[in-house]
Amino acid sequence: AAAALSREGGEDAFRRLFRFYRQRDISDLRGVVDFSVPGSQVFRSQLSISSLSDQDAYRAGLQPVSQWKAYGLNGYPGFIFIPNPFLPGCQRHWVKQCLKLYPQKPNVCNLDLHMAPEKTIDLWGQSKEQLRRKGSSKQEPRSLLEKLRWVTLGYHYNWDTKKYSANHHTPFPSDLAFLSEQVATACGFRGFQAQAGILNYYHFDSSLGIHADESELDHSRPLLSFSFGQSSIFLLGGLKREEAPTAMFMHSGDIMVMSGFSRLRYHAVPRVFPNPEGTALPSCLEQALSLDLPVGSVIEHSSDEDWQVCVKYLQSSRINMTIRQVLAEGQKFPEESGTNRKGQALSEDSHHQEDSRAKRHKPN
């Protein structure tokens, strides 16, 4: 059915497949690439094993690169898919950072568009008790964390102009920079600098609209994507929307690298769905963190109290971190006139969408 849709006239091929996989009642997912059981479209990719020491991998919460599996897709040069290379328990750190630390000021989030600054200082503190007590009823009011849609880090993306600027920048988190730089190095991109991050927060009724990431000034550097929580379908298309995309599953812990020819391709997330294991959380998130962390590790132990809040959130949610290098070495932003810092995030849902039911629950 998906293949037939992609050949129809009228609406562009990407939009047709986006709508096909967006359907709530879709049951035929045979056309979706599953990297846990690679098929004819998939081939093994070579990683730069000697470029990243086991010690640095451990410090980032990753297995030794020699134990990673990496795949490419026919027709998508520069695309690399790495199924969950994280050490047991280490995904928990990144989930907690995305919910507790990274939404804090001076970072920017969608709630800043609707609420006074003092109301968005501590989203975690204002939400944790409500999340802990949360039942299964859809009628319960949502916490502020559940109303979170995106957070920007480093160079803050301007959703209105679709640009970054020198005068809207805050320090990039050092732990996330370290993780990103190690993954980039293992994929052959030595010297990668994590300069901007967009964190997207999804629920079962969320999607990510069709777009290409062109705003960074240096397209020679890869785009890194990290997923945690529930699963999703990811669509990767071509340089034009008339080209039908390839659908693939993304599960908790999976890493995706878009580089080279694949760096500027259209992509989207039409659907988030429960993890295929049939449990409330993927088994990889049930694993406890080792008590013996290496010297210099960026991974921190999460308290049981904090993790239980994260568990409640993740039972119906997915978190994605996309990390970019905006500028080449020594490059500067072009001079801009009349830059308005207050206009850095004028559109809450420029490409992060929800259905009409969820839109009624947006913060005032």
Side-chain angles (χ1 to χ4, degrees):
L5 270 175
S6 69
R7 293 192 295 268
E8 285 182 6
E11 194 175 30
D12 69 70
F14 202 126
R15 172 61 61 184
R16 285 195 298 274
L17 280 180
F18 181 91
R19 286 195 300 105
F20 175 79
Y21 286 113
R22 181 87 178 114
Q23 298 174 80
R24 296 291 98 191
D25 57 351
I26 184 174
S27 58
D28 185 359
L29 298 176
R30 287 175 297 175
V32 183
V33 174
D34 188 345
F35 289 94
S36 63
V37 283
S40 59
Q41 287 178 277
V42 175
F43 59 89
R44 286 295 293 265
S45 282
Q46 296 299 313
L47 295 171
S48 184
I49 294 176
S50 62
S51 63
L52 180 60
S53 69
D54 290 355
Q55 186 66 16
D56 280 343
Y58 289 143
R59 289 174 58 208
L62 299 165
Q63 300 172 24
V65 181
S66 58
Q67 296 180 24
W68 298 11
K69 293 180 180 178
Y71 300 98
L73 271 178
N74 287 324
Y76 296 90
F79 176 79
I80 305 170
F81 193 100
I82 305 169
N84 184 17
F86 289 94
L87 290 166
C90 288
Q91 288 187 53
R92 294 186 176 191
H93 170 84
W94 303 109
V95 170
K96 185 192 73 174
Q97 296 296 79
C98 286
L99 292 175
K100 186 175 183 178
L101 182 66
Y102 298 156
Q104 293 181 8
K105 299 298 168 248
N107 298 329
V108 181
C109 73
N110 63 291
L111 298 179
D112 297 327
L113 309 180
H114 308 279
M115 304 174 69
E118 62 271 16
K119 298 288 187 180
T120 60
I121 289 176
D122 185 13
L123 302 181
W124 174 271
Q126 297 182 72
S127 303
K128 60 182 182 180
E129 289 306 323
Q130 187 177 347
L131 271 171
R132 243 190 235 111
R133 297 192 304 269
K134 190 173 180 65
S136 57
S137 171
K138 293 183 179 180
Q139 304 304 317
E140 293 183 57
R142 295 194 300 172
S143 64
L144 288 179
L145 272 181
E146 292 171 293
K147 295 176 181 179
L148 195 60
R149 292 291 163 266
W150 51 260
V151 169
T152 53
L153 311 171
Y155 287 113
H156 296 283
Y157 186 68
N158 184 323
W159 302 96
D160 186 50
T161 64
K162 295 181 169 48
K163 292 181 179 180
Y164 301 94
S165 63
N167 66 353
H168 199 209
H169 174 268
T170 55
F172 195 93
S174 59
D175 57 347
L176 184 52
F178 185 77
L179 169 69
S180 303
E181 288 156 13
Q182 306 321 303
V183 170
T185 297
C187 292
F189 297 96
R190 284 182 174 274
F192 176 85
Q193 299 176 50
Q195 297 175 336
I198 298 178
L199 315 180
N200 276 308
Y201 301 80
Y202 300 84
H203 306 300
F204 288 139
D205 51 8
S206 303
S207 65
L208 180 70
I210 305 166
H211 68 287
D213 291 291
E214 302 174 336
S215 301
E216 295 74 31
L217 275 65
D218 182 9
H219 294 156
S220 69
R221 305 269 83 184
L223 176 79
L224 309 180
S225 170
F226 303 85
S227 291
F228 305 106
Q230 302 299 325
S231 298
S232 71
I233 292 176
F234 179 80
L235 298 179
L236 180 61
L239 299 176
K240 297 179 180 180
R241 287 175 50 150
E242 288 71 24
E243 299 177 50
T246 296
M248 63 195 79
F249 289 114
M250 291 193 74
H251 303 302
S252 192
D254 290 348
I255 300 175
M256 194 171 62
V257 180
M258 294 170 65
S259 68
F261 185 68
S262 294
R263 174 64 176 77
L264 299 176
R265 290 186 171 224
Y266 280 102
H267 52 278
V269 177
R271 185 177 173 191
V272 176
F273 59 94
N275 96 84
E277 296 169 322
T279 52
L281 283 188
S283 56
C284 58
L285 288 171
E286 300 286 3
Q287 298 170 318
L289 184 63
S290 169
L291 295 176
D292 300 319
L293 294 173
V295 175
S297 174
V298 300
I299 302 297
E300 300 172 347
H301 286 277
S302 299
S303 68
D304 289 341
E305 179 184 4
D306 281 356
W307 181 241
Q308 288 313 307
V309 176
C310 295
V311 165
K312 279 286 190 178
Y313 180 88
L314 288 179
Q315 285 176 353
S316 61
S317 304
R318 169 183 180 256
I319 299 171
N320 178 256
M321 311 187 301
T322 57
I323 314 303
R324 308 109 189 284
Q325 179 170 333
V326 177
L327 301 168
E329 188 73 35
Q331 189 177 20
K332 294 183 179 180
F333 288 101
E335 290 293 327
E336 293 184 16
S337 59
T339 302
N340 179 4
R341 286 193 55 161
K342 291 185 179 179
Q344 293 298 316
L346 295 178
S347 169
E348 176 179 349
D349 287 318
S350 295
H351 61 243
H352 193 171
Q353 306 155 345
E354 290 187 288
D355 68 18
S356 57
R357 266 183 333 215
K359 285 182 179 176
R360 289 200 293 270
H361 296 288
K362 282 184 183 175
N364 295 323

